[in-house]
Amino acid sequence: MQTAATMFAGLGLFFFAMHFLCVNLKRLADQKLKRRIARLTSTAPAGLSVGMLMIVLTQSGTAAVFLLVGLVRAGMMTLRQVQPVILGLNLGAGLIVLFLTLDIRVAVLVLIGVSGILYAFGSRHKEHVTGAAIGVGLLFLGFQIMRDGAAQIETQAWFVHFVEATAGAPLLAFLAGMVLTILAQSSIAVSAVMIVFLQSGLFELRDGILFVFGANIGSSVLMLLLSVNLSGAQRQVALYKLGFNAIAAIVLLPLIYIEAAFGVPLIVALVSHLSADPGTQVALAYVLFNALPVPALLLLLGPTAACLKRISPETRAELGATPKHLVLPCSEPPSVVQRLVELEMVRLLRLNSEAFESMRSSRGAKHLHASLEAAAVLHKTIDETLRDMASDRSLSAEEHGRVDLLGRVLYLTKAMREARLDLGADVFHLRKSCPELWFADSAVEGLDAVFNVQISLAHDRHSDTLEVLTRLTSTKGNGINAIKVAYLQDEHFLDGEARGRLLSAISLCERLIWLFGETSRAYGRLGQSQVEVLSSAFERQADAARLRA
């Protein structure tokens, strides 16, 4: 009972430490850190280093891969930048498992003591850093406690019978590693448990090697399950990780069986030659699995990226969400960045315009959400750029005023997107419950027409366009009057619930028209547009930068 309790306590501490470490690292991972990561992955060696650092910090290849998915989705990294990072993740995972075989109990206790004191009495601004340090210390302490418990289990009668029953069943060991990794969501943690058992003499070396190979395959299965709803560039990242493990498995698993069947010295002989410690031997096998495909894949970054793009091409939403003119990180002068932001804001308005197309009967709610989600991602990129510019003390008063106006337009654009989402829900409900009403179609067509004038104003800033939009969006203008006429014609057809939906839709239409008017006034204060002048030149510049990346 004491043995089981010790092992269970160590296992619980191990997983708690992983969670605590991840929580503190997520709080540290602000947008500046993500941008630094994207900047550091400009070359393959740098990408390998970043990947190894990420796996050390997160202790989970799956978590690290989905962090990369977020960076790709935000337009901060390309697939070519992600590929070396994923290779580094696998190399780093192997080194972590190998490092776990070392006895560093004293260093771990010192780390926990120092970081614990700093966490309790140090600066609150640094608590996430000290929290992450505590997580690292507790991670290794939990592993040491598991090792102590496992050292006592080999004398237990039930475990002796279990080992005898599974002896000579390598497939069972492989499947056990795969299933446990799916449940624990970390091949590192599962492999660490097997190292403890091997160091205590509880399993044969070949079974332990197949167990850690199964753990790596289990991480691929977990990745596949979690990436079911991904598409486009996000799915490309997950597929690259899957392909890595598939290559290693295709090469190494047959070698294990060839060695066992014909006595040819291969994997077991290699790790036995490198170390006499069983735990270190299985850790070396884990390193081999995660290092073998790296050299070939480094040489094939271009072909593998092209293959993945054919398998999972970028979605329309991803193409819209990816910045076309702002190539992050921006190194141009502030005045040029402001103009680039204006170009992206015109693209943002066009993405929002697709929402009206989605509200038409031939599309649907799925397309509406996809177009607005793409707009939200591009909006976030523009917002971060404007925030960085606003904090730049070298800007003149005029430039600061222009940044404030662009921020005002961006805020209004976000409000439009939220109103469109709510309006879409009402339009779809009215179209389904009351197909005889013509309000939904006429409102969508009218708003779309007004918004197209808004896009023209953002692009050219002609005074005539501003005058037309001002007239359309005034409280007594054609837009508001058309909405009121549509309501009066349809209200006598409706029951209580449908009437409430119609009133909600009308309120949202009036809010959108008011937002159109506020945006037009903000654009009017921005003055003359240089979008047409800069568009072709910076489009060529952005394309050239992407080709270099």
Side-chain angles (χ1 to χ4, degrees):
M1 185 65 182
Q2 179 68 29
T3 300
T6 302
M7 288 193 63
F8 190 67
L11 187 66
L13 182 60
F14 187 86
F15 283 110
F16 166 77
M18 289 186 65
H19 175 73
F20 191 72
L21 176 62
C22 291
V23 167
N24 283 280
L25 289 173
K26 286 178 181 177
R27 292 173 180 171
L28 285 172
D30 56 6
Q31 293 301 322
K32 290 185 179 179
L33 177 60
K34 291 180 180 179
R35 290 187 182 184
R36 290 193 191 104
I37 292 174
R39 191 180 299 115
L40 288 172
T41 55
S42 56
T43 63
L48 285 172
S49 302
V50 170
M52 295 174 70
L53 177 63
M54 288 178 67
I55 193 66
V56 168
L57 295 177
T58 62
Q59 298 290 311
S60 172
T62 302
V65 168
F66 277 91
L67 174 59
L68 293 174
V69 167
L71 291 172
V72 170
R73 185 175 181 179
M76 295 182 180
M77 296 182 71
T78 64
L79 179 62
R80 284 293 297 272
Q81 288 177 293
V82 167
Q83 287 173 291
V85 178
I86 292 178
L87 300 181
L89 290 176
N90 286 274
L91 282 175
L95 294 177
I96 288 172
V97 172
L98 185 62
F99 188 65
L100 287 173
T101 63
L102 304 177
D103 189 357
I104 54 171
R105 184 186 298 270
V106 175
V108 166
L109 293 177
V110 172
L111 175 63
I112 293 174
V114 172
S115 56
I117 292 172
L118 292 176
Y119 187 83
F121 303 106
S123 170
R124 306 311 297 175
H125 299 291
K126 302 293 184 181
E127 66 177 8
H128 302 322
V129 177
T130 53
I134 292 173
V136 172
L138 292 178
L139 191 76
F140 285 98
L141 180 61
F143 181 78
Q144 295 289 341
I145 293 174
M146 280 194 294
R147 179 182 289 176
D148 294 341
Q152 308 169 24
I153 201 174
E154 61 181 332
T155 60
Q156 303 292 322
W158 65 269
F159 196 81
V160 173
H161 293 311
F162 174 76
V163 172
E164 291 175 349
T166 57
L171 180 61
L172 182 61
F174 180 83
L175 293 175
M178 185 171 67
V179 172
L180 288 175
T181 298
I182 294 173
L183 296 176
Q185 300 188 20
S186 173
S187 65
I188 295 175
V190 172
S191 299
V193 175
M194 177 51 68
I195 290 173
V196 172
F197 286 151
L198 279 167
Q199 288 178 329
S200 303
L202 304 178
F203 282 92
E204 295 292 332
L205 177 57
R206 187 179 63 156
D207 293 340
I209 291 174
L210 283 168
F211 182 91
V212 298
F213 285 0
N216 281 283
I217 297 301
S219 68
S220 297
V221 175
L222 177 64
M223 184 72 62
L224 185 63
L225 294 174
L226 294 175
S227 62
V228 168
N229 293 326
L230 297 181
S231 59
Q234 302 168 63
R235 189 171 181 81
Q236 292 169 13
V237 176
L239 289 175
Y240 191 72
K241 172 67 172 174
L242 291 173
F244 181 100
N245 287 347
I247 292 172
I250 291 171
V251 173
L252 294 176
L253 287 178
L255 296 181
I256 287 284
Y257 283 94
I258 290 172
E259 185 174 22
F262 303 103
V264 181
L266 295 171
I267 298 175
V268 175
L270 175 63
V271 298
S272 299
H273 176 72
L274 294 174
S275 175
D277 177 65
T280 305
Q281 290 169 353
V282 78
L284 288 170
Y286 189 95
V287 172
L288 179 62
F289 188 99
N290 286 280
L292 183 66
V294 171
L297 290 176
L298 276 176
L299 296 174
L300 298 172
L301 292 177
T304 51
C307 180
L308 289 170
K309 288 179 180 180
R310 285 195 296 270
I311 295 173
S312 179
E314 290 182 313
T315 64
R316 183 179 180 183
E318 285 176 335
L319 292 172
T322 303
K324 186 176 180 181
H325 306 286
L326 286 171
V327 181
L328 301 177
C330 292
S331 57
E332 290 83 1
S335 59
V336 176
V337 176
Q338 289 183 23
R339 303 305 180 185
L340 293 176
V341 167
E342 290 188 48
L343 291 172
E344 293 293 354
M345 291 181 72
V346 172
R347 290 188 63 240
L348 180 61
L349 291 173
R350 286 172 178 159
L351 276 176
N352 280 277
S353 179
E354 292 182 8
F356 290 120
E357 179 65 24
S358 302
M359 290 184 202
R360 294 182 169 91
S361 57
S362 59
R363 306 301 289 274
K366 182 178 179 180
H367 297 86
L368 173 65
H369 284 275
S371 60
L372 291 181
E373 181 182 0
V377 174
L378 183 58
H379 179 281
K380 185 176 181 181
T381 302
I382 299 172
D383 182 58
E384 290 168 358
T385 304
L386 288 176
R387 288 178 185 272
D388 288 344
M389 293 176 64
S391 62
D392 187 352
R393 296 183 178 180
S394 65
L395 294 182
S396 65
E398 181 182 354
E399 288 173 328
H400 270 296
R402 194 172 187 85
V403 170
D404 289 340
L405 282 173
L406 289 172
R408 170 67 176 169
V409 173
L410 194 63
Y411 171 79
L412 292 169
T413 305
K414 179 181 178 181
M416 291 180 204
R417 187 176 68 250
E418 294 170 348
R420 281 188 189 88
L421 186 61
D422 294 336
L423 177 62
D426 289 336
V427 165
F428 293 135
H429 182 275
L430 288 172
R431 189 174 286 135
K432 182 178 179 180
S433 61
C434 306
E436 69 277 5
L437 296 183
W438 67 281
F439 170 82
D441 294 333
S442 61
V444 169
E445 295 298 334
L447 290 172
D448 192 19
V450 177
F451 194 64
N452 282 328
V453 179
Q454 175 85 78
I455 295 173
S456 298
L457 177 65
H459 190 275
D460 55 40
R461 313 282 170 77
H462 288 167
S463 58
D464 293 341
T465 308
L466 177 60
E467 183 180 349
V468 170
L469 193 58
T470 302
R471 187 167 60 251
L472 288 172
T473 57
S474 67
T475 54
K476 297 182 180 180
N478 297 336
I480 298 295
N481 289 334
I483 295 297
K484 293 177 179 177
V485 170
Y487 170 71
L488 293 174
Q489 290 184 349
D490 283 341
E491 87 172 305
H492 60 279
F493 290 115
L494 305 176
D495 56 18
E497 181 182 359
R499 188 188 298 271
R501 281 281 188 170
L502 180 60
L503 288 172
S504 173
I506 290 171
S507 176
L508 289 168
C509 289
E510 292 180 340
R511 174 167 174 74
L512 280 169
I513 292 174
W514 179 81
L515 289 169
F516 294 162
E518 289 295 304
T519 306
S520 67
R521 283 184 279 277
Y523 269 121
R525 290 194 294 272
L526 275 171
Q528 184 179 4
S529 171
Q530 296 187 21
V531 169
E532 293 176 324
V533 176
L534 291 169
S535 181
S536 59
F538 283 116
E539 186 171 348
R540 290 194 299 271
Q541 180 180 345
D543 290 340
R546 287 194 181 83
L547 286 175
R548 289 194 298 271

